[in-house]
Amino acid sequence: MVAAVTNGIKVSVVTEYQPFYSDPSRYHFAFSYRIKIENNSDATVQLMRRRWEIFDATYHKYEVKGDGVVGIQPVIEPGKSHEYVSGCNFNSVIGKMEGEFYMERLIDGKQIEVIIPKFVMIVPYILN
């Protein structure tokens, strides 16, 4: 697990290789990741947008931007958290992701950029 805290918002990430959805003979490697967003600030926030930078070992890099996460823009009150699971496919046995969540404090409309820590996804059998 990796984690980062920005402005009282903690983002934690856990990854898992998905062999059932992967096909190594065709250079297709599937991973899931679980994101937990904990609001340790004193204000209610809403996750409005996200931006990802995604890299694989073949030096392929792309950027993904969009509203909310997995189709929603969750509101997270102080002391509460929001979790979701998503996934990513790579053409190599290793890849990494990092990015930002763009949140809004509901009390005053202030925009907050929250760091999503860099996390690496590795097919487990290459570590042997």
Side-chain angles (χ1 to χ4, degrees), residues 6-21:
T6 311
N7 296 314
I9 309 294
K10 180 179 180 182
V11 178
S12 305
V13 185
V14 176
T15 65
E16 185 175 358
Y17 176 59
Q18 298 295 320
F20 182 78
Y21 298 104

Side-chain angles (χ1 to χ4, degrees), residues 1 3 16 33 36 42 82 116 119:
M1 176 176 68
E16 185 175 358
Y33 55 89
K36 183 175 184 180
D42 59 356
H82 176 77
I116 305 167
F119 56 97

Side-chain angles (χ1 to χ4, degrees), residues 21 28 33-34 63-64 75 77 80 86 88 94 102 111:
Y21 298 104
H28 179 82
Y33 55 89
R34 175 177 296 276
E63 183 178 62
V64 175
V75 173
E77 297 178 3
K80 301 292 182 180
S86 191
C88 188
I94 186 169
Y102 299 96
Q111 301 295 304

Side-chain angles (χ1 to χ4, degrees), residues 7-55:
N7 296 314
I9 309 294
K10 180 179 180 182
V11 178
S12 305
V13 185
V14 176
T15 65
E16 185 175 358
Y17 176 59
Q18 298 295 320
F20 182 78
Y21 298 104
S22 298
D23 186 352
S25 68
R26 294 188 179 180
Y27 301 98
H28 179 82
F29 304 92
F31 295 86
S32 65
Y33 55 89
R34 175 177 296 276
I35 304 277
K36 183 175 184 180
I37 305 163
E38 299 174 72
N39 184 355
N40 298 315
S41 75
D42 59 356
T44 300
V45 297
Q46 183 170 15
L47 194 160
M48 305 304 290
R49 299 181 330 277
R50 73 194 180 294
R51 186 187 76 82
W52 289 106
E53 288 184 355
I54 304 169
F55 309 84

Side-chain angles (χ1 to χ4, degrees), residues 56-127:
D56 70 18
T58 64
Y59 302 103
H60 181 232
K61 174 186 172 185
Y62 60 100
E63 183 178 62
V64 175
K65 295 180 179 180
D67 292 336
V69 289
V70 293
I72 62 172
Q73 294 176 311
V75 173
I76 310 168
E77 297 178 3
K80 301 292 182 180
S81 64
H82 176 77
E83 290 188 55
Y84 72 95
V85 175
S86 191
C88 188
N89 299 308
F90 292 106
N91 296 323
S92 61
V93 294
I94 186 169
K96 66 180 177 179
M97 294 175 62
E98 61 185 311
E100 299 88 27
F101 290 132
Y102 299 96
M103 300 192 178
E104 181 177 305
R105 283 192 344 191
L106 296 186
I107 193 167
D108 59 8
K110 180 179 178 185
Q111 301 295 304
I112 301 169
E113 182 179 304
V114 175
I115 300 298
I116 305 167
K118 182 185 308 178
F119 56 97
V120 177
M121 292 163 275
I122 302 173
V123 175
Y125 58 77
I126 70 162
L127 299 174

